[in-house]
Amino acid sequence: MATITPLNELLTSAFELAYFIVGDRTIAIYVAMAAVDKLQVAALAQDRRLDYTPVGRFTQPAIRTKINLSEIHLLQRLVYVESEPFERLLEGQQRSLQEDMIIRFVKHLVRVTIKHNSFYLALGLCRLLYNYSTTETAEVYNLVIQDPDRAKDDYYYRSRKKYLIEEMKQRFGDSLNTYRGHRGEERFEVQEGSAAYIGLVEACLRRFTPWQSACVLPAEFDSHKSIITPLLFEGGNPDEEHQVELNRIHTLLHPDCFQRLIANLGLDDPPRRLEIPQFFAPADEPPLSGDRFNPGALDEAELEAVKRYLERNGGRRKQTSGKLLAVLVDGYGRARLEVESTAGTQFELEADAELIEVSSVESGEAVPLAIHPLTRGESGILPSNFSLLLGSGQILSFEVQAPKPPAGETAGAMVCIRRDQDHAFSLGSWLRHKLGLQGDERPGSMRWGGSPALRFGLAALLVMIALLSLWIYLQSGGRSHTPTLVAEERQPDQPVSPSPAPPPSPQAGSGPASPGNRRQKPEAQGSGHASAANTGRASESTRGLEFVSDPKMLLTVKRVYVDPLGSQPLSQRVRQALIAGLQSSNRFVVVERRDDADAVFKGVAIPGDASSRQGALVLRLVNAEGEVLWPLARPAAGRKYTGAAEEIAALVLKALLSDIARLEPAR
């Protein structure tokens, strides 16, 4: 049985990792909160038994080199996903130093390789972080896989390296350059004296090693004579390889284990082969502060605020109507679906897609319902499908269709969403859906095939469920409970990931990330909200659902409402000052009821410390459709303002009215 990690421990682990990546306490708290909140719906996918069975060769058992992530490992991956919008924002505002960029480069390299398997990780580390040759990289991987029959040829190494370089270039854009080296090999331009950063790189690798995984290398071993049993998979059930694959990933990522692998093979030590890309970022700034590695613990007030947010979001999930759904891929909006009036839709997935997220839009806010981690084989995304049972009784089927690409290439996929109009929620339809039974021609009937023992067992199950339902009904005092979601996974393997998203750091007026640092995806969306907070690619509640609107829509807003910005005295002062400023601007009418407003200011104001009158505010303006009207940056992300309450309100008004004045001539 899986170990359940206490909530405080999950929050602390997520916060410390997020702070190490972004270096901003406010953002790190939001990232941790978003990741833990998403963990609740992502776990649904993890807990479903996989129906996909890999097919092996006649002489070799089937293999599944993907990790079935535990709760703690899944949280670690979610932190990577949730932090990225804020990384990009900070980089776009030129507030990231060389060491910040190194941390994020290593993090992203780990993220894009372990979503595949240990082969990609070995390739990424040995060829992109260190400068080991293809032959040397093959030696490392062959030692880790412990199976000569699964060795790869040189062409496969070269083609996969090209794929990884493209992934890194898409993330960092113009922040780094590549060049053509020996035999036309593409490599990143390297910083002189890269070895000086080995301490920082090893600190990154230790933190990005799967949490609670163990070193399995023997104290002494000879790669030519010894078999490393924890790295060798000999079973017939591919699902049993998950732990072995986790051992391999730990062995490659953990600096001490990797050093021992390299030494055993007689290769140069990692510091001598380390090649840090040359980033276009300030290099003459002071080194990272000590708290980057050991941030202060979350205090009681911070923990309590996060827990209240998680409880509130959990309650909203139970009450969601599911009438309007938003579908996102890696935090970017790809489709909206009015369940009752739309039979279905479809959209394309890019080859590097990692995660499909489904949220319900409730009063302009996104309520995460399910996360579907995409799985990969040698040639890219694998076919998979899952289904959602909404509170209205509607069943939505999601199918990932993946054509087989030419050898050595990777391909994207197509997501097809279909509403099953024949399944209004009932006990019989739910059982048909879960047990895979076929109904006969009469509505509401069920075909009871199979042996008498099976029919008796199903009948007994029905009676037990009916009695349990009656008991729950009586215990709840006759109150009805709307089921929000039943997520049924039928997919090939690996799990993961993507979320209230938080505040972007810097000042009011700072511009959006440069085009080179922003990945171009259709209709970027995102929003985040904690006790009322926001962000870039994130949802009101968790990073997911901010529909980036036409900037001119801001000009149509007259009546506005300011949401509570938190429970702290500073939060209340900021809200009062902001309301007063909006009223005196003669541009807006501040209404007393949310429902009377054209748009709502959402955000969170956090004091610098318990006694301070100074603090920070993150804010955005959202309409009833969930569309982010302001700030105008893409992807939509709230801006962070600092100072006393009156100073913060003045900065907000100045930035808002400036943007409106800039849009007026084009009206």
Side-chain angles (χ1 to χ4, degrees):
M1 181 177 294
T3 302
I4 299 177
T5 307
L7 178 58
N8 281 16
E9 183 178 333
L10 292 175
L11 288 171
T12 298
S13 298
F15 165 70
E16 290 177 350
L17 181 60
Y19 188 77
F20 179 70
I21 295 169
V22 299
D24 182 288
R25 188 175 184 87
T26 303
I27 293 177
I29 291 173
Y30 282 103
V31 168
M33 180 176 63
V36 171
D37 186 57
K38 284 291 178 70
L39 184 66
Q40 299 177 47
V41 294
L44 290 172
Q46 293 292 298
D47 292 340
R48 305 297 179 226
R49 180 170 179 80
L50 302 177
D51 293 337
Y52 164 81
T53 302
V55 178
R57 297 194 299 270
F58 178 75
T59 58
Q60 182 178 333
I63 58 174
R64 177 184 284 134
T65 50
K66 306 281 191 257
I67 305 178
N68 192 10
L69 298 181
S70 67
E71 176 186 66
I72 196 73
H73 300 147
L74 188 57
L75 178 62
Q76 192 174 11
R77 292 284 297 276
L78 286 168
V79 170
Y80 299 156
V81 175
E82 297 303 324
S83 67
E84 185 169 314
F86 305 104
E87 299 170 35
R88 291 173 180 262
L89 184 72
L90 294 170
E91 292 158 20
Q93 295 172 335
Q94 298 183 343
R95 295 189 63 239
S96 297
L97 311 179
Q98 287 287 337
E99 291 179 323
D100 291 311
M101 301 301 292
I102 291 170
I103 290 172
R104 295 166 195 164
F105 179 85
V106 176
K107 186 269 294 188
H108 197 69
L109 182 62
V110 171
R111 176 187 169 188
V112 300
T113 54
I114 64 174
K115 74 181 179 184
H116 293 277
N117 53 36
S118 57
F119 168 77
Y120 280 82
L121 179 60
L123 178 65
L125 292 176
C126 293
R127 299 293 285 129
L128 300 188
L129 184 61
Y130 302 105
N131 187 13
Y132 292 103
S133 68
T134 299
T135 301
E136 292 168 333
T137 301
E139 289 185 63
V140 172
Y141 178 66
N142 292 342
L143 177 55
V144 169
I145 201 70
Q146 291 284 294
D147 186 347
D149 290 335
R150 292 165 69 174
K152 313 290 184 183
D153 59 28
D154 286 355
Y155 173 77
Y156 192 76
Y157 277 89
R158 290 194 297 271
S159 67
R160 297 306 86 198
K161 172 175 172 281
K162 179 180 178 181
Y163 166 78
L164 290 180
I165 284 181
E166 287 303 314
E167 286 242 4
M168 301 304 289
K169 287 164 64 176
Q170 286 179 343
R171 161 63 181 89
F172 292 98
D174 295 335
S175 293
L176 47 76
N177 282 339
T178 61
Y179 70 95
R180 294 287 176 179
H182 181 59
R183 296 182 179 177
E185 178 190 16
E186 186 175 22
R187 296 200 62 83
F188 294 116
E189 290 187 357
V190 178
Q191 294 193 31
E192 295 183 6
S194 290
Y197 291 104
I198 188 64
L200 177 60
V201 169
E202 290 186 348
C204 292
L205 294 172
R206 290 182 194 280
R207 284 164 172 79
F208 303 149
T209 298
W211 290 334
Q212 299 179 5
S213 58
C215 300
V216 298
L217 287 180
E220 295 182 3
F221 69 98
D222 184 337
S223 60
H224 300 290
K225 300 178 182 179
S226 305
I227 294 178
I228 307 173
T229 305
L231 302 180
L232 175 64
F233 176 65
E234 296 182 302
N237 181 0
D239 282 329
E240 295 176 355
E241 192 169 4
H242 293 305
Q243 182 58 50
V244 176
E245 185 70 358
L246 182 63
N247 292 341
R248 295 170 186 149
I249 287 176
H250 175 100
T251 301
L252 288 166
L253 273 179
H254 194 268
D256 296 342
C257 295
F258 185 73
Q259 169 67 44
R260 293 172 65 196
L261 286 178
I262 294 298
N264 196 275
L265 292 169
L267 304 178
D268 286 344
D269 287 343
R272 297 185 61 183
R273 296 293 189 94
L274 182 64
E275 291 196 346
I276 298 295
Q278 177 64 56
F279 293 100
F280 293 100
D284 55 352
E285 299 289 336
L288 298 175
S289 62
D291 70 343
R292 190 67 169 268
F293 302 91
N294 296 291
L298 293 170
D299 60 35
E300 290 186 9
E302 290 169 333
L303 280 171
E304 188 59 32
V306 171
K307 289 178 182 178
R308 283 199 305 270
Y309 169 80
L310 295 175
E311 289 174 2
R312 182 179 71 91
N313 232 30
R316 291 167 64 216
R317 258 192 288 277
K318 294 178 181 178
Q319 299 170 4
T320 181
S321 66
K323 293 181 179 179
L324 175 61
L325 298 183
V327 183
L328 302 95
V329 176
D330 298 339
Y332 290 89
R334 303 303 295 272
R336 279 196 287 181
L337 190 67
E338 293 184 3
V339 176
E340 295 181 353
S341 60
T342 306
T345 187
Q346 63 182 30
F347 59 87
E348 292 183 0
L349 282 178
E350 297 176 343
D352 62 341
E354 182 175 1
L355 187 74
I356 297 175
E357 179 182 330
V358 184
S359 295
S360 177
V361 183
E362 304 289 333
S363 301
E365 297 192 6
V367 182
L369 296 183
I371 288 178
H372 178 71
L374 296 163
T375 56
R376 285 178 168 73
E378 296 289 322
S379 58
I381 297 172
L382 294 173
S384 61
N385 55 68
F386 67 105
S387 58
L388 303 183
L389 176 58
L390 303 171
S392 60
Q394 300 283 358
I395 293 178
L396 288 184
S397 297
F398 294 74
E399 182 180 4
V400 179
Q401 302 174 348
K404 186 175 181 179
E409 302 295 330
T410 57
M414 178 73 71
V415 177
C416 298
I417 307 172
R418 179 176 58 84
R419 176 168 61 92
D420 191 337
Q421 302 183 43
D422 298 329
H423 281 81
F425 181 73
S426 67
L427 181 59
S429 65
W430 183 81
L431 279 173
R432 279 201 305 276
H433 178 64
K434 297 301 289 180
L435 299 176
L437 298 174
Q438 300 296 320
D440 64 21
E441 304 304 323
R442 299 182 305 278
S445 64
M446 186 181 296
R447 183 174 301 146
W448 295 89
S451 66
L454 175 60
R455 292 197 297 271
F456 177 80
L458 291 175
L461 178 60
L462 277 171
V463 173
M464 289 168 51
I465 292 176
L467 291 174
L468 179 60
S469 300
L470 177 61
W471 181 82
I472 293 173
Y473 179 81
L474 294 174
Q475 291 296 314
S476 64
R479 296 185 302 272
S480 63
H481 294 267
T482 303
T484 28
L485 166 69
V486 175
E488 179 181 333
E489 297 283 346
R490 295 183 298 278
Q491 62 183 42
D493 1 312
Q494 159 188 330
V496 303
S497 321
S499 88
S505 277
Q507 320 151 352
S510 28
S514 64
N517 285 349
R518 251 192 347 254
R519 205 153 157 192
Q520 299 302 317
K521 298 235 182 183
E523 197 181 359
Q525 303 169 9
S527 80
H529 173 41
S531 287
N534 332 318
T535 108
R537 276 177 6 190
S539 76
E540 297 267 35
S541 322
T542 85
R543 181 210 73 187
L545 197 345
E546 270 171 21
F547 297 105
V548 179
S549 64
D550 178 353
K552 294 179 183 177
M553 290 179 65
L554 176 61
L555 300 178
T556 67
V557 176
K558 299 296 181 184
R559 300 164 66 83
V560 296
Y561 178 80
V562 181
D563 261 359
L565 303 175
S567 58
Q568 302 285 341
L570 175 78
S571 308
Q572 298 166 8
R573 290 198 301 273
V574 170
R575 183 173 186 264
Q576 292 168 359
L578 182 57
I579 290 173
L582 290 166
Q583 290 172 331
S584 63
S585 70
N586 295 322
R587 176 63 179 74
F588 297 101
V589 175
V590 181
V591 298
E592 296 183 358
R593 294 187 342 120
R594 207 173 188 270
D595 293 343
D596 295 335
D598 302 325
V600 177
F601 284 97
K602 293 176 168 295
V604 62
I606 302 176
D609 55 57
S611 60
S612 176
R613 295 182 64 84
Q614 302 278 319
L617 168 70
V618 178
L619 194 71
R620 72 187 185 288
L621 182 64
V622 181
N623 69 10
E625 298 280 324
E627 297 175 319
V628 178
L629 306 181
W630 185 80
L632 304 177
R634 291 174 179 264
R639 293 175 182 165
K640 182 178 177 182
Y641 306 87
T642 59
E646 294 73 16
E647 294 171 331
I648 289 173
L651 288 171
V652 170
L653 264 295
K654 179 179 178 181
L656 175 60
L657 295 176
S658 174
D659 284 345
I660 290 174
R662 184 160 53 85
L663 292 172
E664 285 286 0
R667 194 169 191 171

Coordinates of all heavy atoms in Angstrom, one line a residue, residues 84 206 364 455 612:
E84 N 7.4 27.0 -14.2 CA 8.0 27.5 -15.5 C 7.4 28.9 -15.9 O 8.2 29.7 -16.4 CB 7.8 26.5 -16.6 CG 8.4 26.9 -17.9 CD 8.5 25.8 -19.0 OE1 8.9 24.7 -18.6 OE2 8.1 26.1 -20.1
R206 N 21.1 17.0 -7.1 CA 20.7 16.4 -5.9 C 19.2 16.7 -5.6 O 18.4 15.8 -5.2 CB 21.5 16.8 -4.7 CG 22.9 16.3 -4.7 CD 23.7 16.8 -3.5 NE 25.1 16.6 -3.7 CZ 25.7 15.4 -3.5 NH1 25.0 14.3 -3.1 NH2 27.0 15.3 -3.7
G364 N -16.3 32.3 -13.7 CA -15.1 32.9 -14.1 C -13.8 32.3 -13.5 O -12.7 32.8 -13.9
R455 N -22.5 -13.2 -12.8 CA -23.8 -12.5 -12.7 C -24.1 -12.4 -11.2 O -24.6 -11.3 -10.8 CB -24.9 -13.3 -13.4 CG -24.7 -13.2 -14.9 CD -26.0 -13.6 -15.6 NE -26.5 -14.9 -15.4 CZ -26.1 -16.0 -16.1 NH1 -25.3 -15.8 -17.1 NH2 -26.5 -17.2 -15.8
S612 N 5.1 44.3 9.6 CA 5.4 45.3 8.5 C 4.2 45.9 7.9 O 3.2 45.2 7.8 CB 6.3 44.6 7.4 OG 6.5 45.5 6.4

